[in-house]
Amino acid sequence: MSNLKQKKKLIVDKILADKNRDANIDEVGIGVAPSNIALCKYWGKRDLDINLPVTDSLSISLADKGARTQVQISPENLGIDEVIVNGELCAFTSEFHVKVVKFLNLFRKSENQNFIVKTDVNIPIKAGLASSACGFAALVLALNDLFAWNLNDKELSILARLGSGSASRSIKHGFVHWSAGIDDNGLDSFATRIDANWDALRVGLLVLSDAEKSIGSREAMQISVETSPFYKVWPEQVADSILKTKKAIEIKDFELLGQTAEQNAICMHALMLTSVPPILYSNQDTIAMMRKVWQLREQGVEVYFTQDAGPNLKLLFLDKNVNIIQENFPNIDVIAPFGLNNVSETVKVETRSI
Ligand code: PMV
């Protein structure tokens, strides 16, 4: 067994201990998880094998934008898992299929046990819109449902983290804080919900390109850790951003929230640009939209942006400015993380029957 598999397996076996790993073939597990956008970013791992971050991070979940996953044991002896995304069977050789199979290897009872995973994702996949975050979180929730593990939020967050770091935050709605932890075994690195709502807050998804990323975040963040001369100040920067963001949430200071998120994202992209080789996710439209945001701010409209490992921007604003934002960004998809859909603080797990 490779070192990587062994380290992940140790965590899974510890959390699942003597829990059930079998289900009838007519049973299905369902998990629904929101996508999340980091306001204070995670960029760099202290343990690459088990996705342990260098720093804490803080995100906002995107209500009903995310993944709904159904999982069941395969009734046929195909010898391979089937992964169906938005109605389409993934090629067995595709990068995504391989990633999901590797993740499922951590959970199967025996090599003969295969799964059928059906996922519907309502955000563009692989374009820096956290589709892997909601995908792995929903898969963990679906497995928890299928096998009736009744895991708590901490355990669910740790398991989701093994699929993708940011998935640890997609276990909860609202503002979520992922603590980096200090233990080498990774059992103290998980996300918790911040006990606060902000009904007027809006997040706008500005999809400028839904093309696949030029370089995946896993590889890119490692290059930054190893080569950016500014990486050494990043942990301090994130710690400061988190303090300010928590304060902003507590006292509902939107300017502080937006300023902090925008600056944190720019700092992360500065790490990327100063990496060797340089990493640049922005395209011309990204830059044009950033300028537009700054121009609007000069005109007195309170709007800020954040950006992840892709060219798309996410805008932060308040509900009172929805109209002016939509006038300026006609294709924007406006999300109310706390409002409209009456989102509960825990992610939804639907009924188990087919
Ligand atoms: O969890 P990953 O490997 O998809 O990395 C996420 C990295 C960023 O989206 C850029 C930042 C973050 O905290 O979500």
Side-chain angles (χ1 to χ4, degrees), residues 123-132 206-213 281 308-314:
I123 46 166
I125 295 171
K126 287 200 115 190
L129 284 171
S131 55
S132 69
L206 210 50
V207 179
L208 303 169
S209 160
D210 59 7
E212 273 198 21
K213 301 175 195 177
Y281 285 112
D308 293 285
N312 302 314
L313 293 185
K314 293 92 188 190

Side-chain angles (χ1 to χ4, degrees), residues 6 9 14 31 56 83 86 90 141 151 162 181 235 269 300 325 343 347:
Q6 210 172 9
K9 196 98 182 66
K14 181 140 195 154
D56 289 15
V83 183
N86 291 345
C90 290
L141 289 164
L151 299 178
L162 301 180
H269 285 270
I325 294 297
V343 173
V347 289

Side-chain angles (χ1 to χ4, degrees), residues 36 38 40-43 45 57 132 164-167 169 213 217-218 221 268 272 307-309:
N36 76 78
C40 307
K41 308 290 186 190
Y42 146 56
W43 196 249
K45 301 182 205 280
S57 56
S132 69
S164 156
S166 52
R169 300 185 308 237
K213 301 175 195 177
S217 52
R218 182 180 177 81
M221 62 175 77
M268 178 181 73
M272 298 175 186
Q307 182 190 2
D308 293 285

Side-chain angles (χ1 to χ4, degrees), residues 194-210:
I194 296 173
D195 186 19
N197 285 3
W198 197 332
D199 292 344
L201 187 67
R202 296 291 177 270
V203 178
L205 299 185
L206 210 50
V207 179
L208 303 169
S209 160
D210 59 7

